[in-house]
Amino acid sequence: MIGTRLAHYDISSHLGSGGMGDVYQATDTKLGRAVALKLLPEAFSHNTERVARFEREARALAALNHPHIAAIYGFEESGGRRFLVMELAEGETLADRIRKGPLPIDEALAVARQIAEALEAAHEKGIIHRDLKPANIKVTPQGQVKVLDFGLAKAFAGDAQNTNSSDSPTISMAATQQGVILGTAAYMSPEQARGREVDRRTDLFAFGCVLYEMLTGRAAFEGEDVTDILSRVMQRDPDWTRLPAGTPAAIQRLLGRCLQKDRNRRLQAAGDARIEIDEAHAEPERQEAALHARSGGWPKLAWTASAILLVATAALAFIHFREAPPAESPEMRLEIPTLFTNDLNSIAISPDGQKVAFEGSGDSGRQLWIRPLNSETAQPLAGTEGATRPFWSPDSRSVAFFAQGSLKRTDLAGGSPQTLANATGGFGGTWGDGDILFVAGNFTPLMRVPASGGAATVVTEPAKRGEYSINFPKFLPDNRHFLFSISGPENSGVYAASLDAPEPQLLLRGAVSSRIEYLRSGWLLYIREGVLFAHPFDLAARELRGDPVALASRVASFSVSDNGTVAYRNARAGLRAQLTWFDRTGKAQGVMGDPDQRVAIANPELSPDGRRVAGDVILDNNRDVWLQDSIRVTRFTFDAGGDWMPIWSPDGARIAFRSNRSGVFKLYEKPSSGSGTETLLLDASQDAMPDSWSPNGRFLLYQSFDPADGRDIWALPLEGERKPFVFLKTRYNEAYSQFSPDGRWVAYQSDESGRSEVYIRPFPGPGGQWQVSTGGGAMARWRHDGKELYYV
């Protein structure tokens, strides 16, 4: 072929051959540029049906326009030969480069990041490579990556229903199935090797294989023949000891996630791989900064690998602070598998640094779990059903928590939990020498109660004007002074006070997220806009000194032990959960939405037609309302203050939700189409949450919190003067009300019996109430015909 012309392309040299055909370098005489021509196998070219399918696929591939993807210019025919016209990528293939030996870590990560960018761009357009391997990746002399043959495996294979599973092995079936290539054995995912349907997670498995090979110089899965290789792909892990000693922990974690056999446990998106690589690049810079700053007096950071997995990973990482680091700082790696929790603040490391308490879901529903750091398993803590936001006793032998409208404590040695005080919400607590400070909920004072039980007394209260809430108190080492934060439009910030002089002293102005902690080595820790900061703190003067140091980004919450270990949870966009349909026997019937687009949706509300779900999602430490249908998850609100607790109008055309804009709770509504403006429904002077929309569209039930009376149920008319009126107000807590389908009744929960039970009463009244549940009940929902109630 060299020296011949096809159409207006003059062929000058042979570049290579493979199952997809021969590749030549040529000159495009019309445009005067060098191109690559891929001549399709003869047997393939004469099959008109497959050529038509290939042409359709190639047209889609031609739409890819990315600097790290070799472009397809055209699909041509000349002299009875069909060929692709492609961008000519300079340089050697990655396979050629690896034959010279492993790549240095920095070089390998730079290449891997560009590959991840290419995969991310293609996957966003619904295109999967299916045959990613070093031979299909070019690296220019300048280090620029070009991924070749994107999506051509599918183009050659044709439609899934016409593809025989015997074609699955990654080899060219040159003798009988010329041109049919669905992958290359050493880089195939287990599902691909079994001939099953593939998706973008198949490319992520291959990406892990390529990255492993760049770092080690050896294939992740080796064998004497194809059968041996495929057996290792499906049954064995790579030899992790081959990784170079300096491989960052983030990259080791990334490889493990990419090479999971079960694709549901595998890394789900190429963008996450790119982020992990960026984190690995940043890690040495943080360590270098820590060493540099140590000479100026601040402690060395010894980073450890991650670990708390919630459905799909909010990580719990550990930083250790020391005054005088040992000659060799030990590195600890662990993973703590947990079940899903919506409250990332429900994590606490014990003062002795030996155990972690966290909220998770198990067979008994939401409860606390305890994980010793020297153990591989976590155990549920008996009697903590419904618990949230735990904190430890100073001796690490007991845990306090909020559950069932109360502050409670329990001893790890055994025994039943002890109720200490009423606490409808639970905005954090701290355990000192014999006393506990806690915040019961929104607008409530900071309270003090003996750890052994007794009357609770007020320590300090929010101001009457401007402040929204006191959050997360923390005793300082003398057990008299303490820290806390205030969130509100005027006085947000970090404060210090004492039991003897509770007048707050401002330490740091501006909103912070999660708790505030003190490190005994002289540091105040807090989160601002997702970044965990350590700020030098003069304990005697109770003043911040100098400038803060950023320790970690994308942090949702953290906890500190007395020995200087800091545990923190990442606020990752990858937090995932899958909404699932169940029948009344508890059998799963299906899922809602695309499993590849799962997000952790809290407070889900089904639309009247049953086709969409509205809920709130925490992404990068900000909560907004999102919508999910059978195909996708889309963001619905975009306010930085936070929007959540959505409910649908009876016709499904509007969604009402709670918003914390400017630090003041308000109720808004917005068209469910996502277009149009938001309308203010209620400018609440107190904490208000929407509960239910009446079937006739005329009323909105919401729960309001009053520090003196607890939670009550109000009704907001949506016509006329729109003046709210009380539906149910007692000295008990009533909440989570729901209109019956005919609008004549309201189901709700109340703790008047000493625990939460479900009741119904007529709307708008008057009338008595009827108790529905007998063994505890909450979150009632009516069946569509009003003949049954479902509740937790």
Side-chain angles (χ1 to χ4, degrees), residues 477-619:
D478 65 1
N479 289 311
R480 304 297 298 173
H481 292 85
F482 54 89
L483 307 169
F484 60 92
S485 69
I486 286 178
S487 58
E490 298 181 8
N491 349 42
S492 290
V494 177
Y495 292 79
S498 76
L499 297 177
D500 306 311
E503 183 65 26
Q505 170 191 347
L506 178 64
L507 300 179
L508 179 69
R509 189 175 299 280
V512 298
S513 305
S514 186
R515 65 195 77 197
I516 306 100
E517 297 272 11
Y518 173 71
L519 282 171
R520 293 176 183 261
S521 51
W523 297 84
L524 199 68
L525 269 65
Y526 55 88
I527 298 172
R528 179 166 282 177
E529 295 182 354
V531 178
L532 177 60
F533 288 100
H535 205 140
F537 183 64
D538 186 328
L539 182 61
R542 287 179 297 284
E543 293 180 353
L544 293 171
R545 309 284 192 186
D547 296 321
V549 177
L551 301 183
S553 60
R554 300 177 66 87
V555 176
S557 64
F558 70 101
S559 179
V560 174
S561 71
D562 287 347
N563 68 0
T565 300
V566 180
Y568 69 90
R569 259 180 173 160
N570 287 342
R572 298 292 302 276
L575 263 180
R576 300 173 185 270
Q578 183 70 65
L579 293 174
T580 305
W581 296 101
F582 291 86
D583 65 17
R584 62 187 299 125
T585 68
K587 183 179 179 181
Q589 298 294 302
V591 297
M592 182 79 171
D594 181 354
D596 286 337
Q597 295 188 16
R598 293 177 296 173
V599 295
I601 294 182
N603 302 308
E605 286 288 327
L606 195 63
S607 63
D609 63 8
R611 296 183 178 182
R612 291 190 290 172
V613 168
D616 39 270
V617 173
I618 298 176
L619 186 64

Side-chain angles (χ1 to χ4, degrees), residues 245-293:
T247 305
I251 298 305
Q252 296 180 44
R253 183 170 64 248
L254 173 62
L255 285 167
R257 293 182 64 198
C258 285
L259 296 177
Q260 285 280 347
K261 309 298 185 188
D262 181 353
R263 59 179 165 186
N264 290 323
R265 295 177 57 84
R266 196 177 302 156
L267 192 75
Q268 301 291 303
D272 290 342
R274 172 178 51 78
I275 292 170
E276 291 283 4
I277 293 170
D278 289 342
E279 287 289 323
H281 276 303
E283 186 170 310
E285 297 173 5
R286 288 194 291 260
Q287 292 176 340
E288 183 179 352
L291 290 170
H292 174 74

Side-chain angles (χ1 to χ4, degrees), residues 353-396:
Q354 300 301 308
K355 299 175 284 292
V356 175
F358 56 88
E359 171 202 323
S361 297
D363 294 338
S364 300
R366 189 181 73 190
Q367 64 186 122
L368 294 185
W369 296 68
I370 304 295
R371 163 71 186 265
L373 298 188
N374 62 358
S375 171
E376 294 184 358
T377 58
Q379 296 295 331
L381 189 56
T384 61
E385 288 76 15
T388 189
R389 298 190 174 176
F391 55 98
W392 290 86
S393 62
D395 61 7
S396 301

Side-chain angles (χ1 to χ4, degrees), residues 2-15:
I2 297 174
T4 63
R5 170 176 287 198
L6 288 176
H8 53 277
Y9 300 98
D10 287 338
I11 298 176
S12 55
S13 63
H14 180 246
L15 298 177

Side-chain angles (χ1 to χ4, degrees), residues 424-439:
T424 55
F427 275 51
T430 181
W431 196 324
D433 184 15
D435 287 306
I436 287 176
L437 299 182
F438 69 98
V439 182

Side-chain angles (χ1 to χ4, degrees), residues 544-782:
L544 293 171
R545 309 284 192 186
D547 296 321
V549 177
L551 301 183
S553 60
R554 300 177 66 87
V555 176
S557 64
F558 70 101
S559 179
V560 174
S561 71
D562 287 347
N563 68 0
T565 300
V566 180
Y568 69 90
R569 259 180 173 160
N570 287 342
R572 298 292 302 276
L575 263 180
R576 300 173 185 270
Q578 183 70 65
L579 293 174
T580 305
W581 296 101
F582 291 86
D583 65 17
R584 62 187 299 125
T585 68
K587 183 179 179 181
Q589 298 294 302
V591 297
M592 182 79 171
D594 181 354
D596 286 337
Q597 295 188 16
R598 293 177 296 173
V599 295
I601 294 182
N603 302 308
E605 286 288 327
L606 195 63
S607 63
D609 63 8
R611 296 183 178 182
R612 291 190 290 172
V613 168
D616 39 270
V617 173
I618 298 176
L619 186 64
D620 293 336
N621 282 333
N622 194 68
R623 180 179 291 185
D624 283 288
V625 176
W626 289 59
L627 301 182
Q628 178 167 341
D629 58 22
S630 61
I631 301 175
R632 63 184 65 84
V633 182
T634 56
R635 189 171 175 178
F636 181 70
T637 66
F638 300 85
D639 186 76
D643 302 318
W644 66 104
M645 300 292 291
I647 61 171
W648 295 84
S649 64
D651 60 2
R654 294 171 291 168
I655 294 175
F657 55 92
R658 178 192 199 196
S659 182
N660 183 20
R661 305 179 185 198
S662 304
V664 177
F665 280 127
K666 301 179 181 181
L667 300 184
Y668 285 86
E669 69 167 357
K670 181 180 179 180
S672 60
S673 63
S675 60
T677 58
E678 298 172 348
T679 302
L680 179 65
L681 292 177
L682 178 67
D683 191 350
S685 60
Q686 296 176 334
D687 181 359
M689 294 189 295
D691 278 347
S692 182
W693 209 311
S694 66
N696 59 14
R698 295 176 55 196
F699 298 97
L700 188 71
L701 289 177
Y702 67 93
Q703 50 183 295
S704 178
F705 180 77
D706 186 318
D709 298 321
R711 294 196 178 276
D712 301 300
I713 300 173
W714 289 65
L716 173 67
L718 299 177
E719 301 172 348
E721 296 183 9
R722 299 196 173 197
K723 184 178 180 179
F725 62 88
V726 173
F727 172 69
L728 185 58
K729 182 179 178 69
T730 72
R731 61 191 180 94
Y732 304 107
N733 290 294
E734 297 91 15
Y736 299 104
S737 52
Q738 289 284 305
F739 277 110
S740 62
D742 61 7
R744 298 173 56 196
W745 301 90
V746 171
Y748 59 95
Q749 66 192 58
S750 171
D751 61 2
E752 66 176 84
S753 68
R755 65 179 175 188
S756 178
E757 299 282 5
V758 174
Y759 300 83
I760 63 170
R761 64 171 53 231
F763 181 86
Q769 67 179 21
W770 288 265
Q771 184 174 333
V772 175
S773 61
T774 57
M779 305 293 292
R781 295 291 187 272
W782 294 87

Side-chain angles (χ1 to χ4, degrees), residues 44-96:
F44 177 92
S45 298
H46 296 304
N47 186 325
T48 56
E49 181 182 352
R50 298 193 63 188
V51 167
R53 280 201 303 267
F54 182 89
E55 196 167 5
R56 290 196 300 270
E57 195 69 30
R59 195 175 296 117
L61 298 174
L64 284 178
N65 182 17
H66 192 272
H68 300 313
I69 298 176
I72 293 179
Y73 296 146
F75 183 42
E76 307 280 355
E77 179 182 4
S78 178
R81 296 300 302 269
R82 298 180 186 274
F83 56 93
L84 281 171
V85 184
M86 307 173 68
E87 177 185 358
L88 180 65
E90 298 180 355
E92 61 183 355
T93 67
L94 188 56
D96 294 332

